[in-house]
Amino acid sequence: MISQGQFIPRALFCLALFAVVVGCDGPGSVNPNEGLPPEEALSTIEGLEAATQGNYKRLISTTGGFGYYSYNRHLFYMKEFAGDNISLSGSTTDPLFLSYTFGHTKNQANAQNLWNWGYQVIYGANRVISQVDAGQSEERDQLLGENHFLRALVHFQLVNIFGRPYPQGRDNLGIPIRRAPDPNKEVSRNTVGEVYDFIVEDLKTAVDLMNQPKSNAYASQEVAEALLSRVYLYMEENQNAIDYANRVINSDRYTLIQDSTQYVTWPTRPPEENPQTIFALKHTEEDDKGFGAIGSMYYSSPEGTGWGEMFASKEYRDLLNRHPNDIRSGFIEPKYKRDENGDIVRENGEPVLQQRNGYPVYYVKKFTGQSGVVTLSSPVLLRLAEMYLNRAEANAKLNNDQKALQDVNTIRKRAGLSGEALYDQSDLDGSLSALDVVLQERRLEFAFEGHRALDLWRNGRPMVREYPGVHTETNIAPGLNTSTSPPTQTIPADHPRVVHFIPERETELTDMTQNP
């Protein structure tokens, strides 16, 4: 694999932490690919639209022209690779290896890039927010609301990478809050509580401002409400999580995909064709990153497109296979050995799996195949199933077990399950709680989408890997017990490496306190 370290971000040379200007080459035009327009252009609807589109674009583009990696690629990997649904099949010089093994470093390139590019989105949103007054027109209010949403979204994403889970204490250090495009403002880390309060404030403002039912590639009132449901769930404000989930569910803008074929092939369609998608980072063919795409690590085509080095873990497959009719197994593709004629090799009548470094190959197909392009997808950030399972988790914590199980069963029925595969009150005993049921369903439903590790840690539960993977073979992995077979890695909720280090360059420039 190509080392990400060779793609040295231009931001390290031309940007201080918040001195995020239009680009190293100076201000551009209203073309979103050229950066934000000058202030005078923001006085026009066309300029506001271009500036806002530019802020969306920063979430998916290779900002600054260095390499083919992007903000959203780092985000998905850093969130998902900390979990137990995936198994890396070999070492790599890409810093995703450090996120996967928990061998974090203070100069980790993906953390530095995520930080830089995230604050570029925030700076861009602040440029618009600082220049536009509410109440001038519905069109302006909509665009202003979209920028409040984007600013809240990125603060939320960053605080969950660099700050400890909210239930572990509001006073833990989070990330710097940026309310204005002021590169000279003194930089310091706000607390996790302060960051979450700011996110809620921004999202509520976005809800009040947005007034147009845009496609799910853009923010809308329902998109902001969906994120509020997740934010409140993470804050353990459970009734608020339920209320905002209800708003989205009852809006009737979204529907669960009931057809099994349509469901397992939704990654192959653009977001506008997926009725379950609330908000996705839309990619077109010109946005495809090839070997730098999210899906590249999870899948390799017969022609060799994609790295195909990160597999579905044995533990996840075993959980999924408890019910063979679960249509979510369609997102996992075993790769079988083939003979010189292209036929599957069999032993004792059973197909033989291909292996990589001794690990059986089980590809993941949640980020591949859009418009027939192997590495193209539009990663989903919010979808309707989450609203049901947010509501289920919140109800479980409010001791409304029956309501929690009803929502879990709604998702399980959509997954093709019935009869004994559904839950009722009699299933809950001293060894299984409603919260256990909900968290297991979240694991099944949102596998590879970046939820799992934080779902465990924010609920005070350890992340335990009791399955093969390269994490068992490295001396940089913390929490490894080599006396078991295979070795077991355990990262408890209070472990220091639940969070990444603040990029070293930022602490050196600003004297920000580093994570322990």
Side-chain angles (χ1 to χ4, degrees):
M1 175 178 288
I2 297 172
S3 169
Q4 187 175 357
Q6 64 186 277
F7 295 115
I8 301 175
R10 288 176 72 199
L12 297 185
F13 297 100
C14 66
L15 300 177
L17 173 59
F18 296 113
V20 185
V21 294
V22 172
C24 293
D25 302 320
S29 67
V30 296
N31 184 334
N33 292 318
E34 295 296 331
L36 288 171
E39 280 75 2
E40 57 267 23
L42 294 176
S43 63
T44 69
I45 288 293
E46 293 77 14
L48 283 175
E49 288 176 341
T52 303
Q53 185 64 32
N55 292 333
Y56 284 107
K57 196 74 170 180
R58 282 177 170 82
L59 293 172
I60 69 169
S61 65
T62 50
T63 309
F66 31 90
Y68 56 13
Y69 298 133
S70 61
Y71 175 87
N72 79 104
R73 190 253 196 192
H74 290 319
L75 177 73
F76 271 78
Y77 283 3
M78 292 170 74
K79 290 172 62 182
E80 180 62 29
F81 289 4
D84 52 9
N85 294 328
I86 41 81
S87 177
L88 184 60
S89 60
S91 297
T92 171
T93 55
D94 189 308
L96 66 84
F97 183 75
L98 303 176
S99 295
Y100 171 75
T101 59
F102 294 91
H104 303 166
T105 65
K106 295 177 182 178
N107 61 350
Q108 196 168 320
N110 55 355
Q112 179 70 70
N113 289 345
L114 188 81
W115 183 279
N116 283 348
W117 299 345
Y119 277 108
Q120 286 189 38
V121 179
I122 291 170
Y123 180 86
N126 280 334
R127 285 280 302 277
V128 174
I129 292 168
S130 67
Q131 295 292 320
V132 179
D133 294 325
Q136 295 180 333
S137 70
E138 289 188 354
E139 293 83 359
R140 288 178 180 275
D141 282 354
Q142 172 66 32
L143 293 168
L144 182 58
E146 289 180 50
N147 282 279
H148 276 282
F149 169 81
L150 290 171
R151 185 171 71 174
L153 173 68
V154 176
H155 275 93
F156 182 64
Q157 291 167 338
L158 293 180
V159 77
N160 284 312
I161 295 290
F162 299 106
R164 300 203 67 80
Y166 184 94
Q168 295 184 12
R170 284 179 52 89
D171 293 335
N172 287 318
L173 289 177
I175 59 169
I177 295 173
R178 302 305 286 174
R179 295 176 178 269
D182 181 3
N184 298 313
K185 183 178 174 63
E186 183 179 349
V187 176
S188 61
R189 295 176 69 181
N190 291 87
T191 67
V192 168
E194 289 169 340
V195 176
Y196 268 78
D197 290 346
F198 172 72
I199 292 164
V200 168
E201 174 191 333
D202 242 4
L203 289 174
K204 287 184 174 181
T205 298
V207 168
D208 291 340
L209 286 168
M210 290 188 286
N211 51 71
Q212 297 174 13
K214 285 192 167 184
S215 83
N216 51 19
Y218 296 93
S220 65
Q221 185 179 83
E222 291 80 10
V223 172
E225 289 171 340
L227 186 55
L228 272 166
S229 176
R230 186 191 296 182
V231 171
Y232 277 129
L233 185 72
Y234 284 17
M235 297 174 73
E236 299 194 320
E237 294 192 19
N238 295 308
Q239 189 57 54
N240 281 330
I242 292 170
D243 291 344
Y244 278 97
N246 284 338
R247 291 192 190 191
V248 178
I249 293 169
N250 296 334
S251 73
D252 294 327
R253 285 198 62 188
Y254 315 99
T255 56
L256 295 173
I257 300 175
Q258 301 296 336
D259 181 87
S260 60
T261 301
Q262 288 290 308
Y263 179 73
V264 297
T265 58
W266 62 257
T268 68
R269 298 186 296 275
E272 296 92 340
E273 297 179 21
N274 285 310
Q276 66 172 1
T277 299
I278 298 171
F279 181 63
L281 299 177
K282 182 177 179 178
H283 286 61
T284 63
E285 290 187 42
E286 69 177 17
D287 300 313
D288 179 37
K289 305 300 186 298
F291 279 79
I294 292 174
S296 174
M297 278 299 294
Y298 288 120
Y299 185 80
S300 180
S301 71
E303 296 75 29
T305 301
W307 298 114
E309 299 175 1
M310 183 69 80
F311 308 145
S313 71
K314 182 181 185 302
E315 187 175 299
Y316 178 74
R317 300 193 317 269
D318 289 346
L319 177 63
L320 193 61
N321 291 335
R322 290 181 187 177
H323 299 284
N325 293 331
D326 195 323
I327 65 174
R328 292 171 292 202
S329 62
F331 291 119
I332 310 300
E333 180 181 299
K335 185 176 183 181
Y336 297 111
K337 286 185 177 181
R338 295 183 180 272
D339 60 23
E340 61 273 12
N341 297 318
D343 297 323
I344 294 176
V345 175
R346 295 179 180 273
E347 292 182 0
N348 300 320
E350 296 296 323
V352 178
L353 278 165
Q354 186 169 316
Q355 296 191 348
R356 180 177 187 270
N357 297 329
Y359 299 108
V361 177
Y362 285 91
Y363 288 144
V364 174
K365 299 187 69 176
K366 270 194 176 179
F367 301 93
T368 187
Q370 181 179 312
S371 303
V373 180
V374 172
T375 51
L376 183 62
S377 70
S378 294
V380 174
L381 296 186
L382 295 160
R383 56 189 179 96
L384 186 58
E386 185 188 347
M387 298 302 101
Y388 282 96
L389 294 181
N390 285 357
R391 189 168 70 180
E393 182 178 337
N395 270 316
K397 291 176 177 177
L398 293 174
N399 297 317
N400 300 324
D401 290 356
Q402 187 58 44
K403 288 183 178 180
L405 296 182
Q406 286 174 352
D407 279 336
V408 168
N409 286 336
T410 295
I411 301 305
R412 292 180 72 77
K413 290 176 183 177
R414 196 263 5 255
L417 301 177
S418 60
E420 294 184 356
L422 304 180
Y423 291 98
D424 60 37
Q425 287 283 154
S426 66
D427 294 311
L428 305 182
D429 54 30
S431 63
L432 185 71
S433 68
L435 182 59
D436 293 332
V437 170
V438 174
L439 292 180
Q440 180 172 281
E441 197 62 30
R442 288 180 69 92
R443 181 181 188 181
L444 286 165
E445 181 67 17
F446 304 131
F448 321 113
E449 298 176 42
H451 292 259
R452 175 61 176 169
L454 194 54
D455 278 355
L456 290 172
W457 293 328
R458 63 183 175 80
N459 280 292
R461 302 184 179 205
M463 197 286 297
V464 182
R465 290 171 170 163
E466 298 180 287
Y467 56 84
V470 76
H471 59 278
T472 67
E473 301 176 8
T474 175
N475 60 7
I476 68 170
L480 201 61
N481 179 3
T482 57
S483 67
T484 61
S485 181
T488 301
Q489 185 181 30
T490 302
I491 304 295
D494 60 355
H495 195 282
R497 294 287 62 77
V498 163
V499 298
H500 281 72
F501 289 110
I502 301 294
E504 187 173 52
R505 182 176 181 276
E506 312 307 333
T507 59
E508 291 175 348
L509 285 173
T510 64
D511 293 326
M512 275 190 290
T513 302
Q514 180 59 275
N515 285 326

